[in-house]
């Protein structure tokens, strides 16, 4: 079975389906009586991103009152989900390969997430709505991994042509392919970035409970701005 390089890039978007675990930020009152400025709302968004991508929890914990274990759970869930998204895009069958291959994808995901680039610009209040503006340099995942991945695929295909995998079971064949892919990508440290882009994050307001939060849809859109894995 010949491998043909980068597969069709499917948008699984499970990476931030755990956005429901993200805790809310208490508002500073309601309506025109709200005080306390806008800095906390900007810090809240950056704190969530730091927790999601960098595994830095201090600001997130401070603003939401969450425990470190909860923040770590969010980060781990995002890493694991992004790892599975990468594997799917690269035609690695995570339901077939061993745990060792899957865990190597976790390492690759952590490395990529650890190099995301974003910074807050400002925050604007309109009534009960706060909009946080960010400048993001999206990681171009396809271009970042293209050369080492294609080299691994070409080498794997040459092995297959020589008959190196003759007699392998389907599971053994998929395992060999998965090992070849992670070996090629685990040491990739130079990210390729797309042009800097402006991103706006609107905080939803729950008036009854006087809390602000980021919706799943907002987090999904933000995630694809930070690490671009789609075509």
């Amino acid at each position: 079975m010949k491998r043909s390089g980068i597969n069709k890039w499917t948008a699984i978007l499970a990476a931030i389906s755990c956005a429901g675990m993200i805790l809310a930020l208490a508002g500073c009152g309601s309506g025109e009586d709200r005080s306390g400025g806008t800095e906390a709302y900007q810090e809240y968004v950056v704190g969530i991103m730091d927790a999601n991508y960098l595994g830095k929890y201090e600001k997130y914990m401070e603003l939401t009152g969450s425990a470190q274990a909860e923040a770590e759970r969010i980060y781990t869930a995002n890493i694991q989900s992004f790892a599975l998204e990468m594997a799917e895009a690269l035609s690695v069958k995570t339901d077939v390969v061993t745990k060792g291959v899957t865990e190597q994808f976790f390492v690759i995901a952590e490395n990529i997430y650890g190099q995301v680039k974003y910074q807050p610009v400002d925050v604007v209040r309109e009534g009960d709505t706060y909009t946080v503006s960010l400048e993001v340099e999206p990681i171009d995942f396809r271009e970042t991994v293209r050369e080492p991945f294609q080299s691994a695929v070409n080498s794997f295909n040459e092995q297959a042509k020589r008959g190196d995998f003759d007699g392998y079971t389907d599971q053994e064949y998929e395992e060999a392919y998965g090992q070849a892919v992670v070996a090629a990508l685990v040491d990739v440290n130079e990210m390729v970035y797309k042009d800097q882009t402006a991103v706006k994050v609107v905080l939803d307001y729950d008036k009854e409970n006087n809390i602000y939060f980021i919706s799943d849809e907002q987090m999904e859109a933000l995630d694809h701005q930070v690490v671009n894995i789609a075509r």
Side-chain angles (χ1 to χ4, degrees):
M1 183 189 303
K2 185 177 180 180
R3 297 291 181 172
S4 58
I6 294 178
N7 191 23
K8 181 178 180 181
W9 300 80
T10 54
I12 296 176
L13 288 179
I16 310 297
S17 63
C18 59
M21 296 190 290
I22 293 174
L23 300 182
L25 173 70
C28 303
S30 61
E32 294 302 320
D33 295 329
R34 190 182 298 112
S35 60
T38 61
E39 183 178 353
Y41 301 93
Q42 178 173 287
E43 290 181 343
Y44 172 66
V45 172
V46 173
I48 286 175
M49 295 181 71
D50 286 351
N52 279 341
Y53 301 112
L54 305 179
K56 296 181 179 179
Y57 317 121
E58 292 79 7
K59 182 58 65 175
Y60 176 75
M61 292 165 58
E62 175 188 340
L63 292 171
T64 65
S66 65
Q68 182 165 334
E70 175 68 11
E72 289 176 349
R73 186 163 69 95
I74 292 173
Y75 175 67
T76 299
N78 286 335
I79 289 292
Q80 292 178 346
S81 192
F82 179 55
L84 296 179
E85 185 178 2
M86 284 192 298
E88 175 78 11
L90 301 174
S91 299
V92 175
K93 298 180 179 179
T94 54
D95 60 336
V96 175
V97 298
T98 61
K99 183 179 179 182
V101 171
T102 304
E103 288 179 342
Q104 284 291 87
F105 270 105
F106 296 163
V107 173
I108 296 167
E110 188 170 358
N111 178 43
I112 292 174
Y113 267 5
Q115 299 186 64
V116 298
K117 293 183 179 181
Y118 53 84
Q119 61 180 359
V121 178
D122 63 15
V123 54
V124 175
R125 173 190 172 192
E126 294 182 5
D128 285 333
T129 300
Y130 286 86
T131 302
V132 177
S133 296
L134 305 165
E135 287 183 349
V136 175
E137 288 185 53
I139 291 176
D140 189 332
F141 175 75
R142 292 183 69 217
E143 290 303 317
T144 295
V145 306
R146 181 183 296 279
E147 185 174 336
F149 173 69
Q150 195 60 59
S151 177
V153 168
N154 292 341
S155 177
F156 185 83
N157 286 337
E158 285 298 318
Q159 288 181 276
K161 187 184 299 183
R162 291 197 306 265
D164 291 2
F165 307 125
D166 290 355
Y168 274 37
T169 65
D170 288 346
Q171 191 279 331
E172 289 170 337
Y173 181 84
E174 295 299 338
E175 176 73 10
Y177 174 72
Q179 289 178 355
V181 171
V182 296
L185 302 187
V186 73
D187 292 325
V188 172
N189 291 310
E190 293 294 328
M191 300 296 111
V192 177
Y193 295 89
K194 290 180 173 287
D195 292 340
Q196 188 176 77
T197 184
V199 178
K200 294 184 182 297
V201 179
V202 179
L203 300 183
D204 289 341
Y205 180 51
D206 179 347
K207 189 173 183 179
E208 181 178 353
N209 295 301
N210 188 34
I211 57 175
Y212 285 88
F213 62 96
I214 301 178
S215 68
D216 288 359
E217 293 76 16
Q218 286 274 300
M219 285 305 300
E220 288 176 358
L222 181 57
D223 188 53
H224 277 266
Q225 292 286 350
V226 175
V227 181
N228 189 313
I229 198 170
R231 278 195 186 276

